[in-house]
Amino acid sequence: MHPVVNLGLLFTELPWRQRFAAAAEAGFHRVEFPWPPLAPDEVTRLVRAAGVQVGLLNMDAGDLAAGERGYGNDPRLVVRWRDQLRQALDLARDLDCPLVNVLAGRRLPGIDGADQLRCLTGNLRWAADLARRYGRTLVVEPINDRDIPGYLLPRVVDVLAVLAQIDHEAVGLQLDVYHVAAMGDDVTGAVAAAGGRLGHVQLADHPGRHEPGTGELDVDALLSALTAAGYQGGLALEYEPSLPSAASLRVVAARYPRLRPTEERAA
């Protein structure tokens, strides 16, 4: 496992153009981010200039500030969704980023829930074949419906049910442990339930969504469960820092040696 810094929640005290270099200066050379408010070619330039590796990026999920969380479930927006998915895969290819995260969307009034699930599943099945041709993997995450009311896939079991319908090796589960805990579900049990579908992990404590070690989550038990499951991917620090970001990351790294940058552990 290797730590990854989420630039959507960390280093937000800086403009987007400065966040890539700031993560590297803090000693973290792996990053992830939601679809950024920058042109793709500028993102590529900034990533290369900072010397960081992108472990995951999100496809466009709409207006996050307005509460949108994807639109793959909207039968009226299939053409738009598929065009944006292609753009995300193009950027992932240019950045040599292996994973693209896809948010399912919130339940839409006036459209039958079963139709929304069919739309999402159809979009993902189409996207899976395209992702395989790009040499990338898509991941889908549960988002708790306490913070985001009406989210279509609030639990790990909901995502796993969709993945079972698609049955494609290019689509996996993104396990955001904060959302699992917010639903009152067992985090280590979720790791076991995911099995070979586990494609990426994101970490924040609960309650509060702050630094690991500030809430009730047993981080050491989580890390042990991931090790026992043979998980070797990214462990993204996707929390809301209670200190300036660089100082916050130092506190987390001191508290949990396995969350230190790889280079620092090797030294």
Side-chain angles (χ1 to χ4, degrees):
M1 290 180 286
H2 46 266
V4 180
V5 173
N6 185 288
L7 300 181
L9 288 184
L10 285 139
F11 295 106
T12 57
E13 62 267 41
L14 299 173
W16 260 101
R17 291 178 175 84
Q18 298 178 24
R19 295 182 194 178
F20 304 95
E25 289 168 7
F28 290 81
H29 293 277
R30 291 184 172 92
V31 301
E32 65 175 26
F33 45 83
W35 191 250
L38 304 171
D41 59 346
E42 184 174 14
V43 173
T44 301
R45 179 179 62 78
L46 291 168
V47 165
R48 291 174 179 168
V52 294
Q53 178 182 345
V54 179
L56 173 141
L57 61 87
N58 282 24
M59 75 168 286
D60 173 62
D63 188 345
L64 299 180
E68 294 180 0
R69 290 298 185 276
Y71 46 91
N73 61 320
D74 193 335
R76 302 163 297 186
L77 298 178
V78 169
V79 172
R80 173 186 166 190
W81 189 90
R82 295 186 181 192
D83 178 66
Q84 292 296 324
L85 189 279
R86 285 191 187 94
Q87 291 187 42
L89 287 171
D90 283 340
L91 181 57
R93 178 193 58 205
D94 294 344
L95 295 173
D96 196 24
C97 169
L99 301 173
V100 173
N101 185 31
V102 178
L103 301 189
R106 299 173 79 165
R107 293 185 181 275
L108 303 165
I111 301 177
D112 184 75
D115 290 338
Q116 294 181 51
L117 279 171
R118 276 192 291 270
C119 180
L120 175 65
T121 302
N123 275 332
L124 287 171
R125 188 174 288 115
W126 170 88
D129 287 333
L130 185 62
R132 180 168 54 187
R133 293 198 294 272
Y134 272 77
R136 312 293 140 184
T137 298
L138 308 177
V139 288
V140 182
E141 68 172 313
I143 294 180
N144 81 83
D145 58 9
R146 277 60 165 171
D147 294 343
I148 306 296
Y151 191 73
L152 191 64
L153 305 176
R155 286 192 149 95
V156 169
V157 292
D158 300 320
V159 175
L160 292 177
V162 169
L163 298 184
Q165 290 186 53
I166 298 167
D167 192 25
H168 199 295
E169 69 277 6
V171 188
L173 170 73
Q174 176 165 300
L175 184 67
D176 186 320
V177 300
Y178 168 79
H179 291 300
V180 176
M183 292 300 294
D185 295 334
D186 178 63
V187 171
T188 56
V191 172
R197 295 285 194 179
L198 187 56
H200 191 64
V201 178
Q202 292 178 322
L203 176 59
D205 218 320
H206 180 270
R209 202 172 186 174
H210 297 306
E211 292 87 349
T214 59
E216 299 172 356
L217 183 68
D218 189 337
V219 177
D220 288 318
L222 168 67
L223 295 174
S224 295
L226 290 168
T227 299
Y231 179 71
Q232 297 181 349
L235 187 59
L237 300 169
E238 195 209 22
Y239 63 83
E240 297 173 0
S242 56
L243 300 168
S245 294
S248 172
L249 288 167
R250 286 195 295 271
V251 168
V252 171
R255 186 178 289 148
Y256 300 105
R258 283 183 284 184
L259 298 180
R260 294 175 185 168
T262 305
E263 297 81 0
E264 189 175 305
R265 280 182 279 162

